[in-house]
Amino acid sequence: MDRCVVLVDAGYLLGAAASLLAGEPARSRISVDHAALIQGLRERAEADTERPLLRIYWFDGAPDRVPQPEHRRLRVMPRVTVRLGALTRSDGRWAQKGVDAAMHAELTELARNRACSDIVLVTGDGDLLPGLMDAKEHGVAVHLWAVQAADGDYNQSEDLVAEADERRVLDREWIVRAVRAKDLVGACAPRPEIAAILSAPLPESAVPGAGRATTVSPPSANGSAATTEVPAPADAGPGTSESAGPRGVPTPKDLAGLGRAHAGPGMPGPQQTAAGATLRWSSDKGWVERSGPAEPSETAALPTLAQLTSAEQRWADREEDITAVSGDPFEVGQVFARRWTERLSSPAHLQHLSTEYPRIPHRIDGELLRYAARFGLLAHKDDQIDEHDRYAIRAGFWREVDSRTASDRSPAGDPTSKS
């Protein structure tokens, strides 16, 4: 068949791009416009081979082969098929398993079935040499593409280079159309909605060295979050310890004394509340100590999304999850909140929920986290969601609720008062 196929080793393409643009191969150091990247690959392949594109195969690794947000975006794009290998962690480093084998199998099957006349390989892995040679034996022209190396040297197997029919280099000018190095200063700042909770000073009784605030940067590729310690203001009061070491992401128990006064600009909830307001997290088993009265009957009566959703809506929701929701934690929280608020029968439910900020009622919070788990946000080999992702999920939830109640809030910011 007079068509071309592109097989992309995402680990090679994005790792080499990171080395070229950011000076190191960590994919966390770059941001990728996947739509522009796929379009660029398609145009380049059709121009080089002079054949129409059949399909782009995107090979990548993922923990337990669970699609990550970028994979969810890619697999719904036209003419794109995602194939996932395992991503395993050993000695503190991530390694792909099964990706080269999957590429080899696809390469040979395409050639044997005469599905195309030209195959473009974007890889540097010498393990694909047997598959490349097999494809040539079946009459397929093999085009090998390299990413421009940061040091000007080869970043591909020399045997692979020697065996390819045609070679091209994706240079810096081509790469920067879809990939750019992240601004480290900007990358270290959390979303304002998350920072409103994370950077708030903790109660002195909650943690040694209270009076020092911690901000948390987005998690790196290995899921860990970096912390930055901010000195307490001069009037921090007794209990401030300048020698206190940095602490990790605050736990729900740490935040037990935080009230709604810590809400950031644009966040829902009044600017004053009684001391002792708490955050309760359904995923933190065993923590029962909390201040304040028991959950009010109005809060306990708030319906869950499952109770508000018909069978037809459930099918449509699943379709949207598969085709339109990328899986970004903040977006996941927004989608859940949008569905919940749109299906409420009584506006009073929404108004009551907004007065509970920043605490999400227990049943709704648990349902929110279970929904988020569908998108591959569970920590690797651990049945829980990364702590920073939880903050992002809940921040997205509250941002959507805030947008729904904004028209009903007074200029003073009290969601319970009508304008």
Side-chain angles (χ1 to χ4, degrees), residues 325-346:
V325 182
S326 71
D328 173 77
F330 190 83
E331 180 192 11
V332 167
Q334 286 184 303
V335 170
F336 182 94
R338 170 173 55 80
R339 293 172 182 170
W340 189 81
T341 54
E342 286 177 347
R343 296 167 191 173
L344 285 175
S345 58
S346 171

Side-chain angles (χ1 to χ4, degrees), residues 83-97:
R83 296 280 188 258
L84 295 179
L87 191 63
T88 60
R89 190 170 179 82
S90 177
D91 297 327
R93 301 184 64 180
W94 291 97
Q96 294 184 159
K97 300 293 184 182

Side-chain angles (χ1 to χ4, degrees), residues 175-210:
I175 293 292
V176 296
R177 296 175 188 172
V179 183
R180 65 176 180 85
K182 286 182 178 177
D183 180 357
L184 290 182
V185 176
C188 290
R191 294 177 185 268
E193 295 85 354
I194 307 173
I197 295 176
L198 295 185
S199 64
L202 299 182
E204 294 179 11
S205 61
V207 65

